[in-house]
Amino acid sequence: MAASAWRSHLDRLSNGPATPPPGASTFSVNASDGTILRGKEYGNQEARPVVLVHGWSGSSRSWGLNVTELASKGLRVVTYDQRGHGDSDKPAHGNTVARLAADLRDVLSSRPDLQNVTLVGASMGVAVILSYLELFGFARVSKLIFVDQAPLQNRVEGWTIGSKGCYDEASLLNLQKALVVNLRACAVDTVTGCATLPIAEELRSVLVEETLKCDAHNLGVLMRDHTQLDWRPLLPTLKGLPILNCVGGVSAVFPEEGCLEIGRLAPSCTSVVFANANHWLYLEEPAKFNNLVIQFTTGEGWDAAVDMSRI
């Protein structure tokens, strides 16, 4: 399917009929260290499963424009709040990407019927998924979807296309100080900076309030761990694992070429650039994002030849 025909197919899907999904069910999981993680599940339990992993300072409510549509179109959708975020416990320990990856394992283990899972990660959620794969393997995972994350945030010799805002010790210390001094101001700045296309004011308010549920110091500790992790050596080992890499064409957080590096390094990766969207492309252009997730997960209408398309 040519890229132009595929984009037309994507637009038609946006207007296709949707069957209302069953109501969301809530769940809680005791992580291996006793931390309680809370989440929701949508859709038919017999459907293809997707697990959504939110980013730094967010929560499962970050997927508010995605979960119902994905379930309506026939997917089983699982979301949860990572430790230190949303309605999950907020211990002083465990503020590392590796611990969040262990929490993802605990969520999956709590649902043994979750097999052939598509893992979807936004921003830091991508790092959590990569850490999960490195630590626990691919056994229950069939596909991956990444949203606007470079494989290394910090700038190092030979690498200058990581984060635009937090990329070395000085910028990290500035962020950590700002979080402690005024978490609300940081939350507002994040919402303003991560979305270029309009999103509803009500949703913006929700996203700010979700950040305020976090502990400012712990967010800084987590960012220190996250920003120095280099996933470039791991990506070439993900052989046989199909990846959809969604990139914000006007992301305020990462340069486009930094996120596209994932597609260059991972063997079975299709990269798609949301030309007019920022870091939160799944909230700015939810219809396009949702339909990509549906196509990629089910294989219906999917064409891997669209690699590097701009939509």
Side-chain angles (χ1 to χ4, degrees), residues 240-286:
L241 198 56
I243 302 170
L244 169 61
N245 184 37
C246 300
V247 178
V250 293
S251 175
V253 179
F254 295 105
E256 183 179 311
E257 58 269 31
C259 295
L260 288 175
E261 188 71 2
I262 285 181
R264 192 185 72 80
L265 292 172
S268 303
C269 186
T270 297
S271 292
V272 176
V273 178
F274 286 61
N276 299 314
N278 200 321
H279 190 55
W280 286 350
L281 58 91
Y282 51 97
L283 294 178
E284 297 172 89
E285 298 192 288

Side-chain angles (χ1 to χ4, degrees), residues 12-92:
R12 287 195 298 274
L13 266 181
S14 300
N15 300 315
T19 302
S25 59
T26 60
F27 66 86
S28 62
V29 174
N30 286 331
S32 58
D33 66 347
T35 299
I36 298 176
L37 309 170
R38 295 179 173 85
K40 291 184 178 180
E41 185 171 327
Y42 306 76
N44 187 336
Q45 288 196 341
E46 303 302 318
R48 291 176 181 266
V50 295
V51 176
L52 309 180
V53 185
H54 68 78
W56 179 84
S57 81
S59 77
S60 58
R61 298 185 74 179
S62 302
W63 304 105
L65 300 184
N66 313 113
V67 289
T68 300
E69 179 70 9
L70 295 178
S72 296
K73 294 291 180 70
L75 297 180
R76 178 185 179 186
V77 184
V78 177
T79 68
Y80 70 101
D81 295 335
Q82 302 202 70
R83 74 170 55 216
H85 296 75
D87 295 329
S88 289
D89 284 357
K90 300 170 180 65

Side-chain angles (χ1 to χ4, degrees), residues 152-157 159-165 167-168 227:
L152 171 62
Q153 293 203 174
N154 276 355
R155 295 175 184 174
V156 296
E157 185 177 355
W159 175 261
T160 59
I161 50 177
S163 172
K164 293 181 178 180
Y167 48 80
D168 61 11
T227 196

Side-chain angles (χ1 to χ4, degrees), residues 157-218:
E157 185 177 355
W159 175 261
T160 59
I161 50 177
S163 172
K164 293 181 178 180
C166 188
Y167 48 80
D168 61 11
E169 183 67 15
S171 57
L172 172 66
L173 290 174
N174 286 338
L175 173 62
Q176 290 177 321
K177 180 179 179 180
L179 289 167
V180 173
V181 169
N182 193 335
L183 181 58
R184 178 175 287 277
C186 289
V188 171
D189 287 347
T190 297
V191 172
T192 302
C194 289
T196 298
L197 298 175
I199 61 175
E201 190 59 39
E202 180 181 0
L203 177 56
R204 288 177 176 269
S205 296
V206 166
L207 297 173
V208 168
E209 294 305 316
E210 289 299 293
T211 295
L212 295 180
K213 294 179 180 179
C214 301
D215 177 87
H217 173 76
N218 289 347

